[in-house]
Amino acid sequence: MTTPRNIIVAPSILAGDFGDFARDAQRVEQGGGDWLHCDVMDGHFVPNITFGPDTIAAFRKATKLPLDVHLMIERPDQYAERFMDAGADHLIVHLEAAHDVAKTLAQIRVRGKSAGLAINPATPVEKAWPFLGQIDELLVMTVHPGFGGQAFLPEILPKIRALRSAVAEDLPIIVDGGINPETGRQCVEAGANVLVAGNSLFRHKTLNLVEAIAELRKHATD
Ligand code: DX5
Ligand code: ZN
């Protein structure tokens, strides 16, 4: 029996309309999303490029939702300040990027923002142990980072379990990649409580965004 946790749904704007981000940010807010997940990619850390601090500033104007900014960039230490100035509420950096992880997390916390650590599918959980006392959220990639619309990797579930047993009961564990009502529920059972979802919400075959958010939330705890 797992302890019931507050489920947070964080729609990923990566699956939104790049020509009309402001509208999609508002749709997420009105549609019952809890956080807006924003994927920043630099073409180095991952083989894809999305957007930078100016776009985060545009999201900041469009919505009051907390902006959950996931930096898939090689040098998060060099850009953290700019993303925080732009309005990021949570700044998530990768363990595998080329920076002093502890220093970057401290740089984020000193600004009063939530410091998040992300780990890739291939990274063993043990690598996260040294940083657990320094983070406000943990993001476990459930696909290889870089693109939306990939299939969930079920072999990550034991990692989620191991991390949940190592962190405080109330530390948010975010799962990101291939999350839909079924995989989301498996992750929640394993100990995650924040569900990032792009394609399953924005491009649902039959449900609109409001309905898809509600379905994901409901199924996670049924
Ligand atoms: C992938 C990104 C995800 C992405 C998830 O590198 O970090 O946030 O938007 O997209 P879906 O939910 O479509 O797998
Ligand atoms: Zn992400």
Side-chain angles (χ1 to χ4, degrees), residues 101-112:
V101 177
K103 229 171 154 178
T104 313
L105 292 168
Q107 190 187 352
I108 298 166
R109 274 192 159 178
V110 85
R111 293 272 310 255

Side-chain angles (χ1 to χ4, degrees), residues 40-96:
V40 176
M41 305 186 190
D42 66 351
H44 292 280
F45 184 71
V46 287
N48 195 8
I49 300 177
T50 55
F51 45 74
D54 292 343
T55 308
I56 299 300
F59 293 150
R60 180 71 296 152
K61 276 195 202 149
T63 177
K64 291 192 168 50
L65 288 180
L67 299 180
D68 191 50
V69 179
H70 178 190
L71 297 183
M72 282 160 276
I73 67 177
E74 196 62 34
R75 292 299 306 265
D77 53 328
Q78 292 182 349
Y79 293 94
E81 296 298 336
R82 287 188 57 199
F83 282 101
M84 292 189 284
D85 290 344
D89 299 287
H90 312 158
L91 205 56
I92 303 171
V93 298
H94 267 266
L95 183 53
E96 306 83 2

Side-chain angles (χ1 to χ4, degrees), residues 2-159:
T2 50
T3 321
R5 287 187 189 87
N6 189 24
I7 300 298
I8 292 170
V9 175
S12 175
I13 200 77
L14 185 66
D17 179 354
F18 272 52
D20 207 347
F21 272 151
R23 180 171 156 270
D24 276 342
Q26 286 156 8
R27 284 174 68 214
V28 167
E29 181 172 342
Q30 286 155 12
D34 300 306
W35 299 351
L36 186 69
H37 186 81
C38 313
D39 288 309
V40 176
M41 305 186 190
D42 66 351
H44 292 280
F45 184 71
V46 287
N48 195 8
I49 300 177
T50 55
F51 45 74
D54 292 343
T55 308
I56 299 300
F59 293 150
R60 180 71 296 152
K61 276 195 202 149
T63 177
K64 291 192 168 50
L65 288 180
L67 299 180
D68 191 50
V69 179
H70 178 190
L71 297 183
M72 282 160 276
I73 67 177
E74 196 62 34
R75 292 299 306 265
D77 53 328
Q78 292 182 349
Y79 293 94
E81 296 298 336
R82 287 188 57 199
F83 282 101
M84 292 189 284
D85 290 344
D89 299 287
H90 312 158
L91 205 56
I92 303 171
V93 298
H94 267 266
L95 183 53
E96 306 83 2
H99 62 132
D100 179 332
V101 177
K103 229 171 154 178
T104 313
L105 292 168
Q107 190 187 352
I108 298 166
R109 274 192 159 178
V110 85
R111 293 272 310 255
K113 308 281 186 176
S114 283
L117 183 66
I119 60 168
N120 279 341
T123 304
V125 286
E126 293 74 28
K127 297 248 181 184
W129 298 159
F131 308 108
L132 296 183
Q134 271 195 277
I135 59 174
D136 304 299
E137 56 188 65
L138 187 58
L139 184 151
V140 184
M141 288 301 311
T142 43
V143 297
H144 297 286
F147 299 92
Q150 303 179 73
F152 176 78
L153 298 169
E155 60 268 33
I156 308 301
L157 290 168
K159 276 172 81 173

